[in-house]
Short mmCIF file of all heavy atoms in Angstrom, two decimals:
data_model
loop_
_atom_site.label_atom_id
_atom_site.label_comp_id
_atom_site.label_asym_id
_atom_site.label_seq_id
_atom_site.Cartn_x
_atom_site.Cartn_y
_atom_site.Cartn_z
N SER A 1 143.11 58.51 -12.66
CA SER A 1 141.91 59.01 -13.23
C SER A 1 142.15 59.75 -14.55
O SER A 1 141.46 59.57 -15.55
CB SER A 1 141.12 59.93 -12.27
OG SER A 1 139.94 60.38 -12.75
N TYR A 2 143.17 60.53 -14.57
CA TYR A 2 143.57 61.26 -15.77
C TYR A 2 143.94 60.26 -16.86
O TYR A 2 143.62 60.35 -18.01
CB TYR A 2 144.73 62.18 -15.44
CG TYR A 2 145.27 62.84 -16.65
CD1 TYR A 2 144.65 63.98 -17.29
CD2 TYR A 2 146.47 62.39 -17.27
CE1 TYR A 2 145.20 64.61 -18.46
CE2 TYR A 2 146.99 63.02 -18.43
CZ TYR A 2 146.33 64.10 -18.95
OH TYR A 2 146.82 64.73 -20.12
N PHE A 3 144.71 59.28 -16.46
CA PHE A 3 145.16 58.24 -17.43
C PHE A 3 143.97 57.49 -18.08
O PHE A 3 143.93 57.30 -19.25
CB PHE A 3 146.11 57.25 -16.79
CG PHE A 3 147.38 57.78 -16.23
CD1 PHE A 3 148.16 57.00 -15.32
CD2 PHE A 3 147.90 58.98 -16.66
CE1 PHE A 3 149.34 57.50 -14.85
CE2 PHE A 3 149.10 59.48 -16.20
CZ PHE A 3 149.85 58.75 -15.23
N CYS A 4 142.98 57.24 -17.23
CA CYS A 4 141.79 56.51 -17.71
C CYS A 4 140.97 57.36 -18.63
O CYS A 4 140.30 56.91 -19.51
CB CYS A 4 140.95 56.04 -16.50
SG CYS A 4 141.68 54.66 -15.58
N ARG A 5 141.04 58.64 -18.48
CA ARG A 5 140.33 59.59 -19.30
C ARG A 5 141.00 59.70 -20.72
O ARG A 5 140.32 59.81 -21.75
CB ARG A 5 140.25 60.96 -18.71
CG ARG A 5 139.52 62.01 -19.58
CD ARG A 5 139.08 63.22 -18.79
NE ARG A 5 140.18 63.98 -18.22
CZ ARG A 5 140.72 65.06 -18.85
NH1 ARG A 5 140.23 65.48 -20.02
NH2 ARG A 5 141.72 65.68 -18.26
N LYS A 6 142.34 59.60 -20.73
CA LYS A 6 143.09 59.93 -22.00
C LYS A 6 143.45 58.64 -22.69
O LYS A 6 143.85 58.68 -23.92
CB LYS A 6 144.35 60.67 -21.65
CG LYS A 6 144.10 62.04 -20.91
CD LYS A 6 143.36 63.00 -21.82
CE LYS A 6 144.28 63.50 -22.90
NZ LYS A 6 143.68 64.58 -23.76
N ALA A 7 143.42 57.45 -22.09
CA ALA A 7 143.94 56.23 -22.70
C ALA A 7 143.14 55.80 -23.95
O ALA A 7 141.92 55.87 -23.88
CB ALA A 7 143.97 55.14 -21.63
N ASP A 8 143.87 55.30 -24.88
CA ASP A 8 143.26 54.61 -26.07
C ASP A 8 143.36 53.13 -26.00
O ASP A 8 142.77 52.41 -26.78
CB ASP A 8 143.93 55.14 -27.32
CG ASP A 8 143.76 56.60 -27.59
OD1 ASP A 8 142.69 57.09 -27.49
OD2 ASP A 8 144.82 57.30 -27.73
N PHE A 9 144.19 52.65 -25.04
CA PHE A 9 144.34 51.20 -24.89
C PHE A 9 144.86 51.00 -23.49
O PHE A 9 145.83 51.68 -23.11
CB PHE A 9 145.26 50.59 -25.91
CG PHE A 9 144.94 49.14 -26.25
CD1 PHE A 9 144.76 48.73 -27.58
CD2 PHE A 9 144.88 48.14 -25.22
CE1 PHE A 9 144.51 47.40 -27.91
CE2 PHE A 9 144.65 46.84 -25.60
CZ PHE A 9 144.41 46.44 -26.92
N VAL A 10 144.29 50.04 -22.70
CA VAL A 10 144.74 49.81 -21.31
C VAL A 10 145.32 48.38 -21.30
O VAL A 10 144.72 47.45 -21.76
CB VAL A 10 143.64 49.93 -20.35
CG1 VAL A 10 144.09 49.51 -18.97
CG2 VAL A 10 143.06 51.35 -20.35
N PHE A 11 146.52 48.32 -20.73
CA PHE A 11 147.17 46.97 -20.48
C PHE A 11 147.31 46.85 -18.98
O PHE A 11 148.09 47.54 -18.33
CB PHE A 11 148.53 46.97 -21.16
CG PHE A 11 148.45 46.82 -22.66
CD1 PHE A 11 148.37 47.98 -23.41
CD2 PHE A 11 148.42 45.63 -23.29
CE1 PHE A 11 148.21 47.93 -24.82
CE2 PHE A 11 148.27 45.48 -24.70
CZ PHE A 11 148.21 46.69 -25.46
N ASN A 12 146.54 45.95 -18.44
CA ASN A 12 146.52 45.75 -16.98
C ASN A 12 147.37 44.56 -16.56
O ASN A 12 146.98 43.42 -16.56
CB ASN A 12 145.10 45.50 -16.45
CG ASN A 12 145.04 45.44 -14.99
OD1 ASN A 12 146.02 45.84 -14.24
ND2 ASN A 12 143.96 44.90 -14.39
N PHE A 13 148.65 44.93 -16.23
CA PHE A 13 149.54 43.87 -15.70
C PHE A 13 149.67 43.89 -14.20
O PHE A 13 150.31 42.99 -13.58
CB PHE A 13 151.00 44.15 -16.26
CG PHE A 13 151.13 43.90 -17.72
CD1 PHE A 13 151.33 44.96 -18.60
CD2 PHE A 13 151.10 42.66 -18.26
CE1 PHE A 13 151.42 44.81 -19.96
CE2 PHE A 13 151.22 42.45 -19.62
CZ PHE A 13 151.42 43.54 -20.48
N ALA A 14 148.96 44.86 -13.59
CA ALA A 14 149.11 44.97 -12.11
C ALA A 14 148.43 43.73 -11.45
O ALA A 14 147.43 43.19 -11.93
CB ALA A 14 148.37 46.23 -11.62
N GLY A 15 148.99 43.32 -10.31
CA GLY A 15 148.42 42.18 -9.56
C GLY A 15 149.31 41.79 -8.41
O GLY A 15 150.40 42.25 -8.23
N ILE A 16 148.74 40.97 -7.59
CA ILE A 16 149.36 40.43 -6.40
C ILE A 16 149.49 38.94 -6.52
O ILE A 16 148.52 38.24 -6.80
CB ILE A 16 148.58 40.80 -5.11
CG1 ILE A 16 148.46 42.29 -4.96
CG2 ILE A 16 149.23 40.11 -3.91
CD1 ILE A 16 149.73 42.96 -4.61
N ASN A 17 150.73 38.44 -6.36
CA ASN A 17 150.86 36.97 -6.35
C ASN A 17 151.68 36.39 -5.23
O ASN A 17 151.67 35.17 -5.08
CB ASN A 17 151.52 36.48 -7.70
CG ASN A 17 152.76 37.30 -8.07
OD1 ASN A 17 153.52 37.71 -7.16
ND2 ASN A 17 152.99 37.59 -9.32
N ARG A 18 152.25 37.22 -4.43
CA ARG A 18 152.98 36.71 -3.22
C ARG A 18 152.63 37.60 -2.03
O ARG A 18 153.50 38.27 -1.49
CB ARG A 18 154.44 36.67 -3.50
CG ARG A 18 154.96 35.64 -4.47
CD ARG A 18 154.88 34.24 -3.99
NE ARG A 18 155.80 34.05 -2.89
CZ ARG A 18 157.13 33.59 -3.10
NH1 ARG A 18 157.52 33.43 -4.26
NH2 ARG A 18 157.83 33.39 -2.03
N PRO A 19 151.33 37.62 -1.59
CA PRO A 19 150.92 38.51 -0.47
C PRO A 19 151.32 37.96 0.91
O PRO A 19 151.63 36.80 1.05
CB PRO A 19 149.42 38.51 -0.67
CG PRO A 19 149.11 37.20 -1.13
CD PRO A 19 150.18 36.78 -2.04
N LYS A 20 151.34 38.82 1.80
CA LYS A 20 151.53 38.39 3.21
C LYS A 20 150.26 37.79 3.77
O LYS A 20 150.29 36.82 4.56
CB LYS A 20 151.92 39.62 4.07
CG LYS A 20 153.24 40.26 3.75
CD LYS A 20 153.54 41.46 4.69
CE LYS A 20 154.90 42.03 4.31
NZ LYS A 20 155.23 43.27 5.15
N GLU A 21 149.06 38.25 3.34
CA GLU A 21 147.82 37.78 3.75
C GLU A 21 147.02 37.27 2.53
O GLU A 21 147.07 37.97 1.47
CB GLU A 21 146.98 38.79 4.48
CG GLU A 21 147.68 39.35 5.74
CD GLU A 21 147.81 38.28 6.88
OE1 GLU A 21 146.97 37.33 6.86
OE2 GLU A 21 148.68 38.46 7.72
N THR A 22 146.33 36.15 2.60
CA THR A 22 145.58 35.65 1.53
C THR A 22 144.51 36.65 0.95
O THR A 22 144.28 36.68 -0.20
CB THR A 22 144.88 34.36 1.92
OG1 THR A 22 145.83 33.32 2.41
CG2 THR A 22 144.15 33.71 0.80
N SER A 23 143.97 37.42 1.88
CA SER A 23 142.99 38.42 1.51
C SER A 23 143.49 39.43 0.46
O SER A 23 142.72 40.03 -0.27
CB SER A 23 142.42 39.18 2.74
OG SER A 23 143.49 39.84 3.37
N GLU A 24 144.79 39.60 0.42
CA GLU A 24 145.41 40.58 -0.49
C GLU A 24 145.23 40.12 -1.99
O GLU A 24 145.35 40.95 -2.83
CB GLU A 24 146.83 40.80 -0.19
CG GLU A 24 147.09 41.46 1.18
CD GLU A 24 148.54 41.62 1.45
OE1 GLU A 24 149.30 42.01 0.60
OE2 GLU A 24 148.98 41.30 2.67
N PHE A 25 144.99 38.86 -2.22
CA PHE A 25 144.83 38.41 -3.57
C PHE A 25 143.60 39.06 -4.16
O PHE A 25 143.63 39.62 -5.25
CB PHE A 25 144.59 36.86 -3.62
CG PHE A 25 145.80 36.00 -3.53
CD1 PHE A 25 145.86 34.94 -2.62
CD2 PHE A 25 146.85 36.24 -4.38
CE1 PHE A 25 146.98 34.13 -2.54
CE2 PHE A 25 147.97 35.45 -4.25
CZ PHE A 25 148.02 34.42 -3.40
N MET A 26 142.49 39.07 -3.44
CA MET A 26 141.34 39.80 -3.98
C MET A 26 141.52 41.27 -4.09
O MET A 26 141.03 41.96 -5.00
CB MET A 26 140.09 39.46 -3.10
CG MET A 26 139.67 38.02 -3.21
SD MET A 26 139.17 37.49 -4.90
CE MET A 26 137.70 38.42 -5.14
N THR A 27 142.21 41.87 -3.11
CA THR A 27 142.44 43.29 -3.24
C THR A 27 143.18 43.66 -4.39
O THR A 27 142.83 44.65 -5.12
CB THR A 27 143.22 43.74 -1.88
OG1 THR A 27 142.50 43.36 -0.76
CG2 THR A 27 143.47 45.23 -1.94
N GLY A 28 144.28 43.03 -4.71
CA GLY A 28 145.12 43.38 -5.83
C GLY A 28 144.64 42.90 -7.17
O GLY A 28 144.77 43.55 -8.18
N ASN A 29 144.06 41.68 -7.18
CA ASN A 29 143.64 41.05 -8.46
C ASN A 29 142.24 41.25 -8.84
O ASN A 29 141.89 40.99 -10.07
CB ASN A 29 144.01 39.62 -8.41
CG ASN A 29 145.50 39.32 -8.17
OD1 ASN A 29 146.32 40.10 -8.62
ND2 ASN A 29 145.85 38.25 -7.53
N TYR A 30 141.40 41.65 -7.91
CA TYR A 30 139.94 41.91 -8.25
C TYR A 30 139.55 43.33 -8.01
O TYR A 30 139.01 44.01 -8.88
CB TYR A 30 139.02 40.95 -7.44
CG TYR A 30 137.62 41.24 -7.70
CD1 TYR A 30 136.96 40.83 -8.85
CD2 TYR A 30 136.83 41.99 -6.80
CE1 TYR A 30 135.57 41.11 -9.12
CE2 TYR A 30 135.54 42.28 -6.95
CZ TYR A 30 134.92 41.82 -8.12
OH TYR A 30 133.61 42.12 -8.34
N MET A 31 139.93 43.87 -6.82
CA MET A 31 139.39 45.19 -6.42
C MET A 31 140.08 46.26 -7.33
O MET A 31 139.41 47.24 -7.69
CB MET A 31 139.68 45.48 -5.02
CG MET A 31 138.87 44.58 -4.06
SD MET A 31 137.08 44.66 -4.38
CE MET A 31 136.78 46.42 -4.06
N PHE A 32 141.35 46.08 -7.65
CA PHE A 32 141.99 47.09 -8.49
C PHE A 32 141.34 47.09 -9.90
O PHE A 32 141.05 48.22 -10.42
CB PHE A 32 143.52 46.90 -8.55
CG PHE A 32 144.15 47.91 -9.54
CD1 PHE A 32 144.26 49.25 -9.25
CD2 PHE A 32 144.49 47.52 -10.84
CE1 PHE A 32 144.76 50.12 -10.19
CE2 PHE A 32 145.02 48.35 -11.73
CZ PHE A 32 145.15 49.73 -11.45
N PRO A 33 141.25 45.98 -10.60
CA PRO A 33 140.49 46.08 -11.88
C PRO A 33 139.09 46.67 -11.74
O PRO A 33 138.68 47.37 -12.65
CB PRO A 33 140.43 44.58 -12.33
CG PRO A 33 141.64 43.93 -11.61
CD PRO A 33 141.69 44.58 -10.28
N CYS A 34 138.44 46.33 -10.70
CA CYS A 34 137.11 46.94 -10.45
C CYS A 34 137.24 48.49 -10.43
O CYS A 34 136.41 49.18 -11.07
CB CYS A 34 136.57 46.44 -9.13
SG CYS A 34 134.86 46.98 -8.81
N HIS A 35 138.17 49.02 -9.68
CA HIS A 35 138.39 50.48 -9.63
C HIS A 35 138.80 51.05 -10.99
O HIS A 35 138.31 52.08 -11.42
CB HIS A 35 139.46 50.79 -8.59
CG HIS A 35 139.82 52.24 -8.46
ND1 HIS A 35 138.89 53.22 -8.16
CD2 HIS A 35 140.97 52.91 -8.72
CE1 HIS A 35 139.45 54.38 -8.14
NE2 HIS A 35 140.75 54.24 -8.53
N LEU A 36 139.64 50.28 -11.73
CA LEU A 36 140.10 50.71 -13.05
C LEU A 36 138.91 50.87 -13.96
O LEU A 36 138.78 51.85 -14.74
CB LEU A 36 141.07 49.70 -13.53
CG LEU A 36 141.69 49.97 -14.90
CD1 LEU A 36 142.62 51.18 -14.87
CD2 LEU A 36 142.47 48.77 -15.41
N LEU A 37 138.04 49.87 -13.99
CA LEU A 37 136.85 49.91 -14.87
C LEU A 37 135.90 51.01 -14.51
O LEU A 37 135.29 51.70 -15.34
CB LEU A 37 136.12 48.59 -14.88
CG LEU A 37 137.00 47.37 -15.35
CD1 LEU A 37 136.11 46.04 -15.29
CD2 LEU A 37 137.48 47.56 -16.74
N GLN A 38 135.79 51.30 -13.20
CA GLN A 38 134.92 52.40 -12.77
C GLN A 38 135.46 53.74 -13.23
O GLN A 38 134.64 54.59 -13.65
CB GLN A 38 134.84 52.43 -11.23
CG GLN A 38 134.01 51.26 -10.63
CD GLN A 38 134.13 51.20 -9.14
OE1 GLN A 38 135.00 51.91 -8.47
NE2 GLN A 38 133.34 50.30 -8.49
N GLU A 39 136.76 53.91 -13.21
CA GLU A 39 137.34 55.15 -13.75
C GLU A 39 137.16 55.27 -15.22
O GLU A 39 136.81 56.38 -15.73
CB GLU A 39 138.85 55.15 -13.42
CG GLU A 39 139.19 55.41 -11.98
CD GLU A 39 138.78 56.87 -11.53
OE1 GLU A 39 138.77 57.74 -12.38
OE2 GLU A 39 138.44 57.02 -10.31
N LEU A 40 137.25 54.22 -15.96
CA LEU A 40 137.02 54.23 -17.39
C LEU A 40 135.53 54.58 -17.70
O LEU A 40 135.25 55.39 -18.54
CB LEU A 40 137.37 52.89 -18.03
CG LEU A 40 138.92 52.54 -18.11
CD1 LEU A 40 139.10 51.14 -18.51
CD2 LEU A 40 139.64 53.51 -19.09
N GLU A 41 134.63 53.96 -16.90
CA GLU A 41 133.20 54.24 -17.13
C GLU A 41 132.90 55.72 -16.77
O GLU A 41 132.06 56.36 -17.40
CB GLU A 41 132.38 53.34 -16.20
CG GLU A 41 132.05 51.96 -16.90
CD GLU A 41 130.95 51.30 -16.20
OE1 GLU A 41 131.21 50.58 -15.20
OE2 GLU A 41 129.79 51.42 -16.63
N LYS A 42 133.56 56.23 -15.72
CA LYS A 42 133.33 57.60 -15.30
C LYS A 42 133.60 58.55 -16.51
O LYS A 42 132.86 59.54 -16.67
CB LYS A 42 134.17 57.98 -14.15
CG LYS A 42 133.97 59.38 -13.61
CD LYS A 42 134.83 59.66 -12.37
CE LYS A 42 136.26 59.81 -12.68
NZ LYS A 42 137.07 60.19 -11.50
N TRP A 43 134.55 58.27 -17.28
CA TRP A 43 134.94 59.14 -18.38
C TRP A 43 134.34 58.58 -19.73
O TRP A 43 134.68 59.16 -20.77
CB TRP A 43 136.46 59.22 -18.57
CG TRP A 43 137.11 59.83 -17.35
CD1 TRP A 43 137.87 59.24 -16.39
CD2 TRP A 43 137.07 61.19 -17.00
NE1 TRP A 43 138.31 60.08 -15.45
CE2 TRP A 43 137.84 61.33 -15.72
CE3 TRP A 43 136.44 62.31 -17.45
CZ2 TRP A 43 137.99 62.50 -15.07
CZ3 TRP A 43 136.57 63.49 -16.77
CH2 TRP A 43 137.31 63.63 -15.57
N ASN A 44 133.47 57.68 -19.62
CA ASN A 44 132.83 57.09 -20.84
C ASN A 44 133.89 56.64 -21.86
O ASN A 44 133.70 56.82 -23.03
CB ASN A 44 131.84 58.05 -21.42
CG ASN A 44 130.91 57.37 -22.46
OD1 ASN A 44 130.61 56.17 -22.30
ND2 ASN A 44 130.51 58.08 -23.50
N ASN A 45 134.93 56.13 -21.33
CA ASN A 45 136.05 55.60 -22.19
C ASN A 45 135.94 54.14 -22.43
O ASN A 45 136.08 53.32 -21.56
CB ASN A 45 137.39 55.93 -21.51
CG ASN A 45 138.61 55.66 -22.41
OD1 ASN A 45 138.44 54.99 -23.42
ND2 ASN A 45 139.74 56.18 -22.04
N LYS A 46 135.56 53.81 -23.65
CA LYS A 46 135.35 52.38 -24.03
C LYS A 46 136.54 51.79 -24.79
O LYS A 46 136.30 50.93 -25.65
CB LYS A 46 134.04 52.27 -24.88
CG LYS A 46 132.78 52.75 -24.10
CD LYS A 46 131.54 52.69 -24.97
CE LYS A 46 130.33 53.19 -24.15
NZ LYS A 46 129.10 53.21 -25.00
#
């Protein structure tokens, strides 16, 4: 949250490509970016 408030540029390399369960693809590759964007919006960081 602090990083999202202070960042001037975000590079999102985080992701899942070899999960134990197929459902983890959406968790790592969709849900995390969703949370990341929510944090940026919370701080009005564009």
